[in-house]
Amino acid sequence: MAANLRTNLTGVGALLPEIEHGSGLTSSWGGLLSTLPLLTFAATSPLVARASHRFGSARLAAALGVPTVETVVRSST
């Protein structure tokens, strides 16, 4: 999952000045915007073991294909 989302997360940093300018965000709010995904990962990581036990590892592994396909499709357009 980390490999799938790495391009999405790192791409925001390069575009952050344009996002701030276009939306009127201050630098502080822009920093918070780029920090939210990391905080979300930290908050939900402990739940992964429980979800894996409940839904099965194969099902969760198959769900990882969705972000992979999305990233490839978005990158190719």
Side-chain angles (χ1 to χ4, degrees), residues 36-75:
L36 283 176
L38 299 175
L39 294 175
T40 303
F41 285 149
T44 58
S45 291
L47 305 174
V48 173
R50 184 177 292 165
S52 177
H53 184 265
R54 181 174 182 183
F55 299 113
S57 298
R59 198 177 215 181
L60 291 178
L64 294 178
V66 174
T68 302
V69 171
E70 176 210 353
T71 300
V72 169
V73 169
R74 190 173 18 164
S75 297

Side-chain angles (χ1 to χ4, degrees), residues 8-43:
N8 298 335
L9 291 174
T10 57
V12 171
L15 297 173
L16 196 55
E18 291 181 37
I19 293 170
E20 290 171 353
H21 179 69
S23 63
L25 288 175
T26 64
S27 295
S28 299
W29 284 108
L32 180 64
L33 179 67
S34 63
T35 304
L36 283 176
L38 299 175
L39 294 175
T40 303
F41 285 149

